[in-house]
Amino acid sequence: MAPSHRPPHPAGRGLRPLARGAAVLAASLALLSSLVGVAPAAPQSADDADADVRVNAQAALGTLTSEARGVNTAIWDAHMNDPEVAGLMKLADVGVMRYPGGSYADIYHWETHTAPSGYVAPGTGFDAFMGTVRATGAQPVLIANYGSGTPEEAAGWVRYANITKKYGAKYWEIGNEIYGNGHYGSGWEHDDHEDKSPQEYARQVRAYAAAMKAVDPTVRIGAVLTTPGEWPDGVVGEGDSGDWNETVFPAVADVVDFVSVHWYAGGADTTAEDAMTRLARLPGELREVRRQIDRAAGADSPDIEIALTEINTNTGGARLTARPNGLFAADAFMTALENGVFTVDWWNTHNGAGQITTVDGETDYGDMGMLSSGACTGDVCEPAPNTPFPPYYGMKMTAGLGTAGDTMVAAESSTQDVSAHAVLRRDGRLSVMLVNKDPDTARTVDLDYAGFTPSTTAPEVSRYARGDSDITDVTDGEASASRVTVPPYALLTVTLQPKAGTGPGASAAAAPGTPRLEAVTDTTARLSWEGATGATRYLVQERDGTHTRLVGETTGTAVTLRNLPPGSTHTVNVLAADSSGRVSGPSAPLTFSTGTPSDAACAVTYHRDTSWGNGFVATVTVRNLSGTPITGWTVDWDWAAAGQSLSSGWNASFEQTGSHVRVTASEGAGPLAADGGSTASFGFVGANDGPNPDPAAFRLNGAVCSGG
């Protein structure tokens, strides 16, 4: 695309304020080092591994859907519907194509195929786009025009797509990044509504949903949320009672079917190396999205999905097409899918050349696309249109890791330089993808398994490393089930056969349904699930990282877990056992939190007075409900997210150790009267690098209080 045809904000956003099992091999495994120009490592002993990766095949993180991998497409992209696009996307198992393109959605009128003040490339109309979608074997995610459209216009699009043309378009978002309409001071998203508040957006979402579902009740409607921990999360606009998510989602929870969030690791100067580090924030941010849905939707929460409809390393500028961004793409796709989203959609299919730099010895075109657009910056031009960039191969590598119906399982690495992701395949095989983020050094990795016994058959190995022009099958046979070596700046996937007679395939029991939370108190949780054929009993296990422990067992399809700590969070799977005791694959996971006791001897109110994205001010008020006055009190809590901290405070003394906070009454403070006769209040300034959930439980002199 010619530079003059690029949208003002290509990503639809502004640049604004995520006991080792068998003995391992003693000989060194300089896996394919010679093929990528790296000298073989010196012989190593069994204890010389650079990283240990543990995989637990009985700890499910969720099931991959046909919509798991997606891309954005834009009406200003003249190559959007090139015949080569569908073939490339099919090879990468792309199941979703989002249209008409980020912020352009809020100026786009589908019927006339126009975008006033924006460029529309020839051949990018809706029917042409749907031809590419169908040739890919994907389905669309369509963005209804909120900024300059109406509910009636959106309903007309549904009628044309699903009634007239019978396209069966399932997912429809209401607008793009509407929180960027200027309400919070920064405006890049077009919005003609006089009232640009989150309250008005919520009212309009209800109107859009009603009009669109009146045409086709089967469509799934998505509302735009901010990503917790990312601007403008936590910011309360003038006249608002809460931030964007606190205002929007409770008001639309009964009419939407999914929420749409975006995640970019930083601004235009963010490198892929920075992004891979910041990716550690994304799981906590997605968990907070789910907590917000749980709070507002209650029992209906499991029916509301999360879509990550835009992701990339940064918001445009440079360092986007070189090898590190391919590693980031693979790592990011799997990290997001493992943490509860049903689709991850890369920005963008084609985007256009930007700042030209050199990264890892290669030209980086500053292009946010997966495929080249053939554009130029000055006298430097991209390769021929539709030439894949490394992010495409990163996504394609995840397609070799697992496809629809396969189960993502827990994998954990001992070092930050190596990321690990694992998938239990429907045919019983186990695939493990390793990401070596070190640009200089190959990493030898020892692999350890729980819930899976590999056969003696040599594993299948595929690689994307320096010198590879595509995903490369490795056939030299040096890799084993217990140790592999990953070249520098490389992706490596190992696929293992199960030992005969082991694994879920050997069990007559199918996997149970996803557990649901029927009831929860401060110390108990009642769970139920859909039964599995061939099952004689069920095992409920709790997961902590890649480790699991049995917490319940029953011959029925429900269980009550007891003696849980108040204000604690738990992730559980259910497995079925057949009459011989052989265990099925795990169910999808359920994460839930216990509450605080309603009859406690104390009560605490926690209130965030103000927030500004990465910091906040809070006030805590404590009451003594016991029959005895308390003199000399302490209040304790634990932060719920890794990036939360306390900076300074008043009306008490403060101490933080790790994630634990202790607040001590000031010297000379009066007693807390019995039976709630008085209160003690203190305040503090806090900081958050990522999501900022409220603490789950408070303790007064060691006793758990009600409220929060």
Side-chain angles (χ1 to χ4, degrees):
M1 171 186 314
S4 63
H5 293 162
R6 297 180 70 212
H9 299 295
R13 55 194 282 131
L15 305 183
R16 57 183 186 274
L18 199 289
R20 190 167 298 159
V24 297
L25 298 177
S28 69
L29 294 175
L31 179 62
L32 303 170
S33 297
S34 60
L35 296 182
V36 292
V38 180
Q44 294 180 309
S45 72
D47 294 327
D48 282 338
D50 302 303
D52 294 304
V53 167
R54 175 183 170 85
V55 178
N56 190 336
Q58 291 184 337
L61 305 179
T63 302
L64 289 168
T65 69
S66 59
E67 304 96 348
R69 280 165 286 270
V71 294
N72 279 268
T73 56
I75 56 173
W76 41 262
D77 172 14
H79 296 287
M80 182 179 81
N81 296 310
D82 287 356
E84 302 95 320
V85 171
L88 287 164
M89 294 304 161
K90 197 166 190 174
L91 287 173
D93 195 37
V94 168
V96 156
M97 305 183 87
R98 184 172 179 252
Y99 177 93
S103 295
Y104 261 51
D106 285 307
I107 59 173
Y108 178 64
H109 300 285
W110 71 271
E111 193 166 13
T112 58
H113 189 50
T114 57
S117 77
Y119 171 76
V120 177
T124 59
F126 176 57
D127 289 318
F129 162 73
M130 285 303 304
T132 300
V133 170
R134 288 186 156 186
T136 301
Q139 63 176 288
V141 168
L142 301 172
I143 317 170
N145 182 342
Y146 175 86
S148 59
T150 64
E152 292 72 27
E153 181 182 33
W157 197 1
V158 172
R159 182 176 294 104
Y160 178 78
N162 291 355
I163 307 302
T164 303
K165 302 294 290 190
K166 296 182 170 42
Y167 287 142
K170 181 177 179 183
Y171 294 102
W172 298 77
E173 294 179 61
I174 310 304
N176 186 55
E177 296 171 346
I178 303 302
Y179 47 79
N181 62 7
H183 183 69
Y184 297 106
S186 183
W188 64 90
E189 199 74 20
H190 186 91
D191 185 359
D192 286 339
H193 295 87
E194 183 176 352
D195 182 352
K196 294 177 171 53
S197 69
Q199 295 94 326
E200 177 63 15
Y201 176 69
R203 286 190 287 269
Q204 290 292 334
V205 166
R206 298 188 69 87
Y208 273 72
M212 296 164 77
K213 288 196 174 189
V215 174
D216 182 354
T218 70
V219 297
R220 296 183 67 79
I221 302 297
V224 172
L225 295 187
T226 66
T227 303
E230 307 295 332
W231 190 92
D233 175 56
V235 179
V236 178
E238 184 177 355
D240 299 340
S241 59
D243 68 12
W244 181 272
N245 288 9
E246 291 170 335
T247 305
V248 170
F249 191 72
V252 302
D254 60 326
V255 299
V256 301
D257 306 285
F258 70 100
V259 299
S260 172
V261 295
H262 294 171
W263 197 85
Y264 292 83
D269 60 345
T270 301
T271 66
E273 293 88 342
D274 297 333
M276 285 188 280
T277 299
R278 293 178 186 174
L279 197 58
R281 294 169 46 154
L282 184 57
E285 294 179 350
L286 292 173
R287 284 194 296 270
E288 181 58 18
V289 175
R290 176 50 63 188
R291 278 194 287 261
Q292 292 175 355
I293 295 173
D294 289 345
R295 286 195 295 268
D300 294 328
S301 176
D303 300 323
I304 299 176
E305 299 178 289
I306 302 172
L308 185 54
T309 52
E310 288 185 23
I311 191 168
N312 208 314
T313 50
N314 63 56
T315 53
R319 300 170 296 278
L320 291 159
T321 67
R323 182 166 305 280
N325 212 27
L327 306 186
F328 170 81
D331 210 4
F333 268 93
M334 294 311 303
T335 297
L337 292 167
E338 291 162 353
N339 285 278
V341 307
F342 76 94
T343 185
V344 186
D345 307 333
W346 187 261
W347 183 275
N348 195 14
T349 303
H350 309 89
N351 206 74
Q355 181 182 350
I356 307 299
T357 57
T358 299
V359 179
D360 195 37
E362 300 175 338
T363 300
D364 188 295
Y365 298 97
D367 190 319
M368 300 180 77
M370 283 198 156
L371 307 178
S372 170
S373 65
C376 304
T377 295
D379 59 357
V380 179
C381 294
E382 294 183 353
N386 299 311
T387 300
F389 289 133
Y392 169 81
Y393 293 116
M395 178 173 65
K396 186 177 178 182
M397 194 73 168
T398 70
L401 180 67
T403 56
D406 294 339
T407 301
M408 297 172 288
V409 296
E412 190 171 55
S413 172
S414 63
T415 176
Q416 291 184 345
D417 284 347
V418 177
S419 293
H421 305 277
V423 171
L424 185 64
R425 313 296 286 264
R426 286 164 294 168
D427 60 9
R429 295 178 299 157
L430 180 71
S431 293
V432 183
M433 184 179 75
L434 304 171
V435 185
N436 181 4
K437 295 173 274 190
D438 190 309
D440 304 313
T441 309
R443 295 296 186 187
T444 303
V445 180
D446 280 352
L447 298 167
D448 175 45
Y449 310 96
F452 181 83
T453 305
S455 74
T456 57
T457 304
E460 302 170 28
V461 181
S462 58
R463 178 201 66 206
Y464 182 62
R466 290 180 179 128
D468 292 334
S469 59
D470 202 339
I471 309 302
T472 302
D473 292 333
V474 177
T475 58
D476 71 354
E478 290 186 23
S480 77
S482 56
R483 175 171 284 197
V484 297
T485 300
V486 190
Y489 257 9
L491 303 169
L492 195 76
T493 297
V494 181
T495 299
L496 307 160
Q497 297 284 349
K499 182 180 178 180
T502 69
S507 175
T514 305
R516 294 181 72 104
L517 183 65
E518 301 291 345
V520 65
T521 69
D522 56 323
T523 60
T524 67
R526 176 76 173 172
L527 313 178
S528 66
W529 56 89
E530 186 177 336
T533 57
T536 59
R537 61 192 175 97
Y538 297 93
L539 310 174
V540 181
Q541 59 178 16
E542 181 171 4
R543 175 171 63 84
D544 180 9
T546 57
H547 296 272
T548 54
R549 63 188 181 92
L550 186 67
V551 293
E553 187 172 354
T554 179
T555 57
T557 56
V559 70
T560 298
L561 306 182
R562 304 183 185 279
N563 300 316
L564 304 174
S568 58
T569 299
H570 307 267
T571 298
V572 296
N573 300 110
V574 182
L575 298 95
D578 65 13
S579 58
S580 299
R582 292 170 297 192
V583 178
S584 72
S587 72
L590 167 70
T591 298
F592 66 90
S593 298
T594 56
T596 56
S598 58
D599 57 351
C602 52
V604 169
T605 301
Y606 178 89
H607 182 263
R608 271 184 284 163
D609 305 322
T610 186
S611 300
W612 52 91
N614 60 356
F616 61 102
V617 175
T619 299
V620 180
T621 302
V622 186
R623 288 188 298 153
N624 168 29
L625 303 180
S626 74
T628 305
I630 296 176
T631 302
W633 50 263
T634 61
V635 173
D636 292 80
W637 72 82
D638 292 289
W639 293 118
Q644 293 176 292
S645 62
L646 189 151
S647 303
S648 61
W650 50 92
N651 293 343
S653 298
F654 299 82
E655 177 185 3
Q656 180 168 338
T657 304
S659 62
H660 184 77
V661 176
R662 169 160 288 188
V663 182
T664 304
S666 301
E667 187 174 345
L672 280 169
D675 301 320
S678 65
T679 62
S681 293
F682 55 85
F684 63 88
V685 178
N688 58 292
D689 181 16
N692 189 28
D694 294 350
F698 293 83
R699 287 173 169 79
L700 176 63
N701 288 359
V704 178
C705 301
S706 61

